[in-house]
C-alpha cells in the first residue's frame, strides 16, 4: 500500500467546513455565543453540570491545578504512562509530582500503588491525584474517590483519551468519563489526534459550582465585571482583576468546529469500537498481547495498543510499509526533567514501555487499510 497510515488522524467533514465558514462571518470570532453553546453541548455529552472551553488540554490542566490551589507545598500523584502535561500542570504551580506505578493489566495508574504511597507518608503529605483514562480505558473513579477522601485529596481526571467512555460503579450505574460524579474536575483535549478535533482546544468539566466560577475567571485574566463581586464601580466600562489569571480562551470558530465534530462523536466512537474488535480477533491466540476491558467497561479507544517482544524491530519494520505506529508513552518519570527531581521506581511502567506499540486507530481507517496493518504486523513475526 502506498498510502501512509498514521496511528491517529482527524476526521473533517463537509459539515465541519461549512460550520467554520459560517462562524467566520459571524459577529464574534472569540468570546461570542458559540463557545457557550459548545460548552453546554459538551457537558450534556459527558453528563457534567458545567463545562469550560479553553485554549488546549494543557491549559485545562493548568487552570485545574490553579483553581485547586496547588503551590510549592503541594505533592500530587499521577501515572508515568501519560502525556507529560498530566504531570507538568503540577509543576506550573510549583507543586511536586510523585509517580506511582501502573497496573500491568489495564495500564492505568495502579490504585494499590497510590494507596501504598498515601499510607506510607505522614497524613497531609499529598494534596491530589491525577488518574488518566489511558488509551480510552476509563478509570474506576468511585474507588479513587473513596481513597482520596480518606486522605483529603482532590482528583483531576485526565479524560483526554476518553470522551464517550464509561465505567460501571458499584451500584451498576454507568459513569461517563468527565461526568464529575466522583472526580472534582476532568479535562479533555481537542488536538487533531483526539476524538474531537478543533486544531487546538481543551475542555474542563465539573459539577462543583465554586470551581467552575473560579476557573471561568482564571481563563480570562482573573477579571470580573459581575456587579456583585466588584469592590467599586466607576461605570459601564469598569472591571476588576481579583486573581492572577491567563488568556486561555477558546475561539468561536473553533467552537463551531467542535459542535459539528461533537455531533458525530457517537458514530465515530462506534467505528473505533469496531476497529478495536477486529484487532482483538486478529491477535487472539498470537504472541501479541492486547488489553481487553471487561463487559462493564465502555472503552473509548483513543489508542489501540499491542505489547510484544522486539517492539523496536516491529516499529521500524512497519515504517518501511508506510504504517506509522507510535509509542504511548515514554514513562514521564524517566524524562530528564523529572529524573533530576527525584527517583520514582515504576517497574511495571518501564516493562510496558519496552513492549508497547499503538496501531492505527481512527474513524476513517478503512477495512482494507486495517487488514493491511494486521497482515504486516503478523508477517513481521514470521
Ligand atoms: C493530549 C493530551 C493532553 C494535552 O492536551 P493538549 O491539548 O495537547 O494540550 C494531556 N493529557 C493527555 C493524556 C493527552 O493525551
Amino acid at each position: 500500500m502506498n498510502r501512509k497510515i498514521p496511528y491517529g488522524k482527524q476526521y473533517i467533514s463537509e459539515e465541519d467546513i461549512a460550520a467554520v465558514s459560517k462562524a467566520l462571518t459571524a459577529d464574534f470570532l472569540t468570546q461570542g455565543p458559540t463557545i457557550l453553546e459548545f460548552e453546554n453541548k459538551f457537558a450534556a455529552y459527558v453528563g457534567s453540570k458545567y463545562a469550560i472551553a479553553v485554549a488546549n488540554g494543557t491549559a485545562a490542566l493548568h487552570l485545574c491545578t490553579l483553581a485547586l490551589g496547588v503551590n510549592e507545598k503541594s505533592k500530587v500523584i499521577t501515572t508515568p504512562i501519560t502525556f507529560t502535561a498530566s504531570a507538568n500542570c503540577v509543576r506550573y504551580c510549583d507543586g511536586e509530582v510523585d509517580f506511582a506505578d501502573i497496573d500491568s493489566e489495564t495500564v492505568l495508574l495502579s490504585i494499590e500503588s497510590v494507596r501504598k504511597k498515601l499510607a506510607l507518608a505522614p497524613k497531609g503529605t499529598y494534596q491530589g491525584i491525577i488518574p488518566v483514562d489511558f488509551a480510552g480505558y476509563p478509570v474506576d473513579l468511585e474507588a479513587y474517590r473513596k481513597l482520596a477522601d480518606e486522605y483529603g485529596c482532590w482528583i483531576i481526571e485526565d479524560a483526554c483519551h476518553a470522551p464517550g467512555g464509561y465505567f460501571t460503579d458499584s451500584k451498576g450505574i454507568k459513569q461517563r468519563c468527565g461526568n464529575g460524579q466522583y472526580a472534582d474536575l476532568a479535562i479533555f483535549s481537542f488536538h487533531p489526534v483526539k476524538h474531537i478535533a478543533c486544531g487546538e482546544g481543551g475542555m474542563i468539566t465539573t459539577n462543583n459550582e465554586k470551581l467552575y466560577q473560579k476557573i471561568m475567571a482564571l481563563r480570562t485574566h482573573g477579571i470580573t465585571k459581575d456587579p456583585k463581586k466588584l469592590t467599586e464601580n466607576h461605570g459601564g466600562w469598569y472591571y476588576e482583576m481579583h486573581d492572577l489569571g491567563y488568556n486561555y480562551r477558546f475561539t468561536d470558530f473553533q467552537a463551531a468546529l467542535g459542535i459539528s465534530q461533537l455531533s458525530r462523536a457517537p458514530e465515530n466512537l462506534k467505528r473505533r469500537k469496531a476497529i478495536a474488535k477486529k484487532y482483538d480477533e486478529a491477535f487472539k491466540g498470537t504472541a501479541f498481547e492486547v488489553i481487553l476491558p471487561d463487559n462493564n467497561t465502555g472503552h473509548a479507544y483513543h489508542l489501540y495498543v499491542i505489547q510484544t517482544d522486539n517492539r523496536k524491530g516491529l516499529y521500524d519494520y512497519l515504517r518501511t510499509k508506510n504504517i506509522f505506529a507510535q509509542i504511548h508513552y515514554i514513562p514521564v518519570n524517566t524524562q530528564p526533567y523529572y529524573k533530576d527531581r527525584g527517583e520514582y521506581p515504576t517497574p511495571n511502567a518501564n516493562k510496558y514501555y519496552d513492549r508497547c506499540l499503538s496501531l492505527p486507530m481512527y474513524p476513517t481507517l478503512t477495512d482494507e487499510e486495517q487488514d493491511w496493518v494486521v497482515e504486516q504486523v503478523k508477517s513481521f513475526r514470521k
Side-chain angles (χ1 to χ4, degrees):
M1 199 166 292
N2 293 324
R3 250 171 297 164
K4 284 188 181 175
I5 306 180
Y7 83 90
K9 191 175 159 183
Q10 72 272 21
Y11 169 21
I12 301 294
S13 70
E14 290 299 324
E15 294 81 50
D16 291 342
I17 294 165
V20 176
S21 296
K22 194 170 159 224
L24 286 172
T25 56
D27 288 339
F28 293 92
L29 287 185
T30 192
Q31 291 181 283
T34 319
I35 296 168
L36 183 63
E37 186 188 339
F38 182 40
E39 289 170 338
N40 289 340
K41 286 185 166 154
F42 193 87
Y45 183 60
V46 304
S48 70
K49 253 193 201 159
Y50 307 103
I52 305 151
V54 296
N56 53 65
T58 307
L61 282 162
H62 186 193
L63 288 172
C64 288
T65 50
L66 271 174
L68 289 164
V70 172
N71 59 35
E72 67 283 351
K73 291 185 212 110
S74 310
K75 223 171 158 181
V76 175
I77 302 175
T78 191
T79 171
I81 301 299
T82 185
F83 184 58
T84 55
S86 314
N88 295 351
C89 63
V90 177
R91 296 292 308 132
Y92 296 153
C93 297
D94 296 322
E96 208 50 66
V97 185
D98 197 348
F99 296 90
D101 207 352
I102 59 161
D103 175 320
S104 296
E105 289 280 304
T106 61
V107 192
L108 301 176
L109 179 64
S110 154
I111 194 164
E112 289 316 317
S113 174
V114 175
R115 192 189 308 280
K116 215 180 272 171
K117 276 192 188 292
L118 293 172
L120 287 175
K123 241 188 172 160
T125 300
Y126 292 98
Q127 197 186 356
I129 310 169
I130 307 178
V132 179
D133 301 310
F134 172 72
Y137 198 130
V139 170
D140 179 349
L141 289 169
E142 185 184 25
Y144 268 103
R145 181 77 265 165
K146 206 163 157 249
L147 180 63
D149 286 347
E150 276 174 49
Y151 290 90
C153 289
W154 47 252
I155 299 170
I156 301 172
E157 175 191 11
D158 183 335
C160 283
H161 296 184
Y166 64 86
F167 75 97
T168 305
D169 72 9
S170 61
K171 296 193 188 87
I173 299 168
K174 286 180 183 174
Q175 299 288 352
R176 275 174 279 170
C177 297
N179 74 356
Q181 187 68 33
Y182 293 108
D184 299 276
L185 293 160
I187 69 106
F188 296 87
S189 163
F190 305 129
H191 180 275
V193 297
K194 310 287 164 74
H195 285 57
I196 292 163
C198 295
E200 298 284 356
M203 192 73 84
I204 298 156
T205 58
T206 185
N207 289 349
N208 181 319
E209 196 197 340
K210 263 202 184 133
L211 287 173
Y212 168 71
Q213 297 291 357
K214 199 158 187 182
I215 291 169
M216 282 295 272
L218 289 170
R219 173 175 73 173
T220 304
H221 309 281
I223 282 173
T224 183
K225 280 189 114 178
D226 183 350
K228 289 191 294 273
K229 290 183 184 153
L230 299 177
T231 60
E232 297 175 31
N233 199 342
H234 306 169
W237 68 87
Y238 190 72
Y239 60 81
E240 285 178 356
M241 183 189 125
H242 288 180
D243 288 297
L244 185 62
Y246 293 79
N247 176 359
Y248 277 165
R249 290 190 298 261
F250 198 54
T251 67
D252 278 69
F253 53 98
Q254 286 174 303
L257 179 55
I259 291 166
S260 184
Q261 289 260 312
L262 184 60
S263 71
R264 293 201 315 284
E267 66 187 78
N268 288 343
L269 181 55
K270 235 192 222 167
R271 176 67 191 141
R272 285 176 184 273
K273 286 183 178 175
I275 293 169
K277 198 161 168 229
K278 195 161 160 177
Y279 278 139
D280 287 348
E281 278 157 19
F283 298 120
K284 204 183 274 171
T286 71
F288 301 103
E289 284 167 46
V290 303
I291 300 156
L292 292 174
D294 65 39
N295 289 336
N296 296 324
T297 303
H299 199 304
Y301 289 108
H302 164 56
L303 301 172
Y304 190 90
V305 179
I306 58 171
Q307 294 172 68
T308 180
D309 296 336
N310 193 8
R311 185 274 316 276
K312 182 172 184 305
L314 178 57
Y315 170 90
D316 290 337
Y317 175 75
L318 292 178
R319 286 177 88 87
T320 68
K321 303 287 179 185
N322 263 339
I323 298 166
F324 293 82
Q326 195 46 275
I327 312 302
H328 298 96
Y329 291 94
I330 305 161
V332 180
N333 52 319
T334 68
Q335 293 290 355
Y337 175 82
Y338 284 106
K339 253 201 320 217
D340 285 351
R341 303 196 67 82
E343 265 193 54
Y344 319 94
T346 55
N348 295 350
N350 299 359
K351 182 169 174 230
Y352 165 81
Y353 169 58
D354 283 341
R355 295 169 48 80
C356 68
L357 191 70
S358 305
L359 296 182
M361 166 56 86
Y362 48 91
T364 55
L365 183 73
T366 65
D367 287 338
E368 181 205 7
E369 287 169 330
Q370 192 182 5
D371 289 340
W372 164 257
V373 170
V374 167
E375 217 174 280
Q376 299 319 306
V377 171
K378 284 186 169 171
S379 74
F380 172 71
R381 204 65 189 181
K382 280 185 201 144

